[in-house]
Amino acid sequence: LQRAAEKALKGRRGAFVAVDPNTGAVLCMASSPSFDPNLFARRIRPEEWLEIIRNPAHPLQNRAIGAAAPPGSAFKIVTAAAGLYFGAITPYTKIHCPGGCYVGRRFFRCWRRHGTVDLVRAIKESCDTYFYQVALRVGPERLAEMARMFGLGGRTGVDIPGEVRGLVPDPEWKERALGEPWFGGETANFGIGQGFLKVTPLQMALVAAAIANGGKVLRPFVVSRIVDDRGRTVYEAEPEVVRRLPLAPWMIEVIRTGMVKVCNEPGGTAYRSMSILKPPAAGKTGSAEVPPYPKTHSWFIAFAPAGSPKIASCCFVEFGGHGSEAAAPITAEVYKALY
């Protein structure tokens, strides 16, 4: 898996991280560009060190845990969970998408006209209008509450250094940090994973894992076991459930259904790259705008097989375009190696 992830990421800036959704064990963690660690096994030459630290792509940064960015539409999984849990929507709630919606005087665009959609179709086709409306119904405080339940905005507790928290914003944070009030348009943006929100790829892999395993937020670990020079086990990692999401099983099942359709039905945003996998996978694409840059960050969270998940993952490609353009095809390549 590690070899496949590194190969698939070659030539791009980004990360691929996968965990076992049943235990939290990190199955692979690739960050690109990287560096040759053998250089540090001896005294590294000054010219080699300067080449690494002057590289504008920052190869020493572990982007899987040390880079935080808006997740774009991959966050719609959290918005869907908040909408269902707080009673703002049901699985049958339909919202009309004429290509966007007004929030106050400003028109918030969707990436296309979807017509009238329910929750499952909104996940499958990544309808922005639907999730703008869900976020506005839920409100920023409760949306932030659900994001934190999934573990966003805090360290996962993974057993290696360099992890950043990311940021889950709310009106209180904005007033304290910026001295400004919160606006309705910021709630709409929050609902589709834009604005002040920042997450790491490992955090989003754990979001996928929580949907895959029925609602358990796990503490991830890289080291499974340590043995001494006599072969005696001195440490063995044990699966740890940090918290259980307060979602009813049917709520998780509705979200899973939408994620399966993303990958396996025509019109699903990852259908072109992921439908080749048998047994089928489930996932959610994300395309995060990062002004003033013209290209979006590419995100894709997934788990497989959809019926009995053994892997949950997140792929993040800086300025990779839409989630379907870069992150989903990379995930398909890694999953093929697993299959």
Side-chain angles (χ1 to χ4, degrees):
L1 277 176
Q2 185 73 22
R3 264 196 302 272
E6 290 182 5
K7 182 181 177 183
L9 280 170
K10 196 166 185 180
R12 299 179 181 271
R13 297 187 193 187
F16 184 95
V17 58
V19 300
D20 183 331
N22 304 299
T23 65
V26 175
L27 304 176
C28 70
M29 183 182 285
S31 180
S32 178
S34 190
F35 59 92
D36 181 3
N38 291 307
L39 296 174
F40 295 88
R42 53 170 170 77
R43 179 171 286 186
I44 190 168
R45 299 188 189 96
E47 60 271 20
E48 293 170 331
W49 174 242
L50 288 173
E51 185 180 347
I52 291 173
I53 63 171
R54 287 175 176 172
N55 187 330
H58 305 295
L60 288 175
Q61 182 186 36
N62 182 353
R63 287 171 162 83
I65 62 172
S73 294
F75 183 76
K76 289 173 181 173
I77 299 307
V78 178
T79 307
L84 292 169
Y85 177 68
F86 291 111
I89 56 168
T90 74
Y92 312 105
T93 299
K94 293 184 176 181
I95 293 173
H96 184 68
C97 171
C101 66
Y102 279 96
V103 181
R105 295 180 181 178
R106 183 182 165 194
F107 188 72
F108 281 70
R109 295 188 180 279
C110 188
W111 65 278
R112 75 175 180 85
R113 295 180 181 180
H114 290 93
T116 301
V117 296
D118 60 12
L119 177 58
V120 168
R121 190 176 155 208
I123 293 172
K124 170 189 166 183
E125 299 180 12
S126 201
C127 176
D128 291 338
T129 302
Y130 194 96
F131 290 99
Y132 290 146
Q133 296 288 354
V134 174
L136 291 166
R137 294 182 187 187
V138 170
E141 294 89 353
R142 293 192 296 186
L143 189 52
E145 182 182 342
M146 180 57 68
R148 293 180 186 120
M149 288 181 195
F150 272 95
L152 303 181
R155 293 187 181 91
T156 66
V158 68
D159 52 349
I160 54 175
E163 184 179 25
V164 298
R165 290 178 175 273
L167 173 65
V168 172
D170 58 23
E172 183 183 337
W173 166 84
K174 191 183 178 194
E175 185 65 46
R176 186 176 65 251
L178 304 177
E180 298 175 357
W182 185 275
F183 299 104
E186 289 168 329
T187 303
N189 265 337
F190 190 5
I192 64 162
Q194 293 282 174
F196 300 113
L197 178 67
K198 287 184 171 58
V199 300
T200 68
L202 178 58
Q203 288 173 340
M204 291 304 290
L206 293 172
V207 168
I211 298 299
N213 65 30
K216 292 179 287 187
V217 179
L218 300 167
R219 187 180 306 282
F221 58 91
V222 174
V223 178
S224 297
R225 192 160 59 104
I226 298 174
V227 296
D228 65 16
D229 55 357
R230 296 182 182 179
R232 295 174 300 194
T233 298
V234 296
Y235 167 80
E236 192 153 10
E238 292 186 5
E240 182 183 345
V241 179
V242 177
R243 76 183 62 81
R244 292 181 182 272
L245 296 174
L247 303 175
W250 64 265
M251 296 176 182
I252 294 174
E253 191 55 39
V254 168
I255 295 169
R256 285 174 67 131
T257 299
M259 294 177 72
V260 170
K261 289 177 181 287
V262 165
C263 297
N264 298 286
E265 283 193 5
T269 53
Y271 174 74
R272 188 170 288 182
S273 54
M274 296 293 288
S275 61
I276 58 171
L277 297 174
K278 297 291 179 279
K284 182 70 193 77
T285 53
S287 311
E289 295 178 3
V290 275
Y293 302 100
K295 284 203 91 173
T296 59
H297 290 330
S298 179
W299 291 83
F300 187 61
I301 61 172
F303 58 85
S308 55
K310 302 291 190 295
I311 184 173
S313 65
C314 174
C315 183
F316 163 65
V317 181
E318 290 181 19
F319 309 113
H322 297 297
S324 59
E325 289 180 71
I330 287 171
T331 301
E333 286 301 310
V334 179
Y335 279 25
K336 274 191 261 181
L338 174 71
Y339 279 31

